[in-house]
Amino acid sequence: MTGIQEVPVHALLTDGTTVRIRQAGPADREEVQRLYEEMSPQNLRLRFFSLNPASARKAAERVARGDRPGYRGLAAECDGRLVGLAEYEVLPGGSTADISVAVADDWHHLGVATLLLEHLADAARTAGVTAFSADALAENHDVLKVFHDLGLRVTRHFDGPEVHCTVELTEDETYLSAVESRGRLADIASLRPLLRPGTVAVIGAGRRPGSVGRVILRNIHNGSYAGRLFAVHPEAVAVPGVHACRTVADLPQVPDLAVIAVPAAAVAEVAEECGRAGVRGLLVVSAGLDVHQSGALMGACRRHGMRLVGPNCLGLANTEDGVHLDATFAARHPGPGTAGVAVQSGGVGIALLDGLARLGIGVSTFVSLGDKYDVSGNDMLQWWEDDGHTDLALLHLESFGNPRAFSRTARRLARMMPVLTVDAGRSEAGRRAAASHTAAATPTMTRQALFTQAGITATRTIGELLDTAALLHAQPLPHGTKIAVVSNAGGAGVLAADACVEAGLVVPRLAANLVEELLALLPEGATAANPVDVTAAVGEEQLRACIGLLARHGAVDAVLVSLVPTAVAAATGEDLVRALTSAPGPLARAVVGVLPAQAARVELLPTAGGGSVPAYSDAEDAARALAHAAARADWLACLPGTVPELPAVETGRAKSLTAAFLDGHPEGGWLDPQATAALLDCYGIPQIPWSWARDEDEAAAAAERLAGPDGRVVMKAYWPGLLHKSEQHALHLDLQNPSQVRAAHRDLVTRFGDRMTGVVVQPLAERGTELFAGVVQDEVFGPLVVFGLGGTATELLADHAARLAPLTDLDVHDLLTSPRCSPLLFGYAGSPAADLGGLEQLLHRLSRMASDLPELTEADLNPVLAGPHGVTTLDARVRLVPRHPHDPYLRRLR
């Protein structure tokens, strides 16, 4: 069984209440009986179809018999009280289970039954159950609605006053979307005490003016917070305008949000006090908690249903009307606006807030996640999706708790607004620092795959993030990569054009008719092939007309204007920058400025129409921002991809092969050639013909049988643990006759002796492009499909791309076109194109295998030979390890 059946978890109900879901057992007998005995007669009749007093006792006895083959019971509890129960019992045949669900009368319509059934279905799938069966009275509209709204396929059969329901447990997009929707509503409800609190208490606001607690209290008080504010300190330190108490219990009303700024050793005790008082949200800025203190803090939060931001964080802020909460110890209040900001590092948070303030971009909500014990980036994405104020999301995340759920949420949000992040931890040193900072760091290739598939704009630095945010905030998206470069100095124009090309943009030669129109507007001596050199003599009106023409013309997707100050402009009083910001009428294309004399890296220059134009001091910064904007436009233009159905896939046989191997190898390991080939055959992954030979005679016979028209074969040694045959010189190529085959086998036996358990004999493959395709199972992210250049140099050249499985058709297209070697697949330099359809099928089948088998830790297909007539795997390695399947979309708190 997975996750929650072995370890209790916590999850959210529709109103944001936290419940604990655990396995029900013998110790629950009295609680289960009490659950039924406290039901109203009507609800008891709907549950048992009668009012028999013995029904409650019999139901309790069934649970008390405990976990047994074919039975599973799950309990939902809050504050130690059993509030819901769901059970299944497998029916004869083993694929269908009869279910029942019960919820305490005062807990109806909070999503208890639905949540329990989601978790029960997850346990059932793992046990091989494919459908639930349930009988209900036709008048029991509530339970029938629960079944209908699950998002699973439900069939009903009416028989008099009863309804027989069958619920198919297959997870599809409809079900995942329904689970997401329920999870989002519950998550948002749970965050309201944190982000829209009506009452706040700061605990640890001492006498010292410079203490963190005191600064936060001052920021809340001076920031025009719309709710009630209290201070808590053992000495009840008086603060002008703020009511102070010695303990949380002494407060005149229960705060929605408690800000904890006390020494690490006292945090858990204070959190427990808050929980007992009924506080729903905690913001812990204290740092330095050890493992025991951290566990005690989380125990208090889960026990009392409190959501937690932090610890070790800068704080949080919400500038919405009616809130105006600045619970941070930042030096300045964040200005109101529409940018949502969530960061793990407080230092990065301060830098982003300062940078946004310089640009005049206000903030809707700011959350410093710190060590991210509970509230995460995924929570904030869901908040921004629904808050009605945010239109730009900025993230700094060093680790991911549930990246697959994060990816689905980000992908949905990125369709509504730009989602930008700093790609932190790209280097080994950076990952080391991130791990020491937040206890987890994510491999670069995996993280980049997540960002790409989710439509997240990933920048390399804070400065680059702000550059891009300025452009996305102020200008329309370019619909392509074609850029017109305009400059009043030829050298500056050349540098700007170079910057554009190096950023992956295109600086196209302009059409003759457009060149004529431009030259008619510009001073004598101007050139307009692109870059457009308007010369130092250009006037303000001429430049304005030039920019307006290019920005309205369909020849380019954006206009970059690089202006240097000249004595000519100064002498004539011309303001060329004003021309940049006052082009007549609405412009259909993005316009950005490059002002090398500008002190700031990027500024937003106000326009006459009330908008703004981003101006950069360096053309490279402007070009990178444009490239990010163009990439976002391209991602938005693509419809969401689909995961295709694949014929000739034997998932059941693959699972049986996996289980059989792990039964014999409890610690896991590499499959031998026969088992590897059998597993790949389950998914229709093409392999070159081959034969296993234990001795010289078998090798010679295999060579005779497998040799192609030219009679040549390949021989590869094998023994458990052999990974890199080329490095070990454990293979012979181009064996042309039986004597060479026998000599090769004798050579391998001489060099490797008893280590070698046999050899693989294959025909010599035809010529083609050698590629690599593989799978890596990430403990947190799940399976990652990797594709790129193969052969013996695959690790040296590292020309690979990666995407998280399951792969859509668009993901496969990206994998085929992303590596530097991709032109070889499309007919480079007149050579025939590879079988692209065959490569697509190979990647989809690898993806399916990785998704079906969580035990698949590594799979390397290298080389994969791709030619015009097909795709063939020449060598493969597969490693399996014991691993329980884990549903990343099952609703549960971290």
Side-chain angles (χ1 to χ4, degrees), residues 496-577:
D498 288 344
C500 288
V501 172
E502 289 167 0
L505 302 169
V506 178
V507 183
R509 180 178 292 274
L510 301 180
N513 60 342
L514 178 56
V515 170
E516 288 183 13
E517 289 186 65
L518 289 168
L519 292 179
L521 298 173
L522 297 173
E524 187 176 350
T527 59
N530 201 17
V532 178
D533 184 356
V534 297
T535 77
V538 71
E540 180 181 331
E541 287 299 327
Q542 293 171 310
L543 180 59
R544 181 182 295 112
C546 172
I547 295 170
L549 175 58
L550 287 169
R552 293 185 183 87
H553 200 282
V556 294
D557 301 301
V559 182
L560 185 154
V561 183
S562 179
L563 300 174
V564 299
T566 66
V568 176
T572 58
E574 299 281 358
D575 187 347
L576 299 186
V577 175

Side-chain angles (χ1 to χ4, degrees), residues 88 114 242 259 353 399 413 441 558 566 830:
Y88 77 68
T114 302
V242 178
V259 181
L353 289 176
S399 63
L413 184 66
T566 66

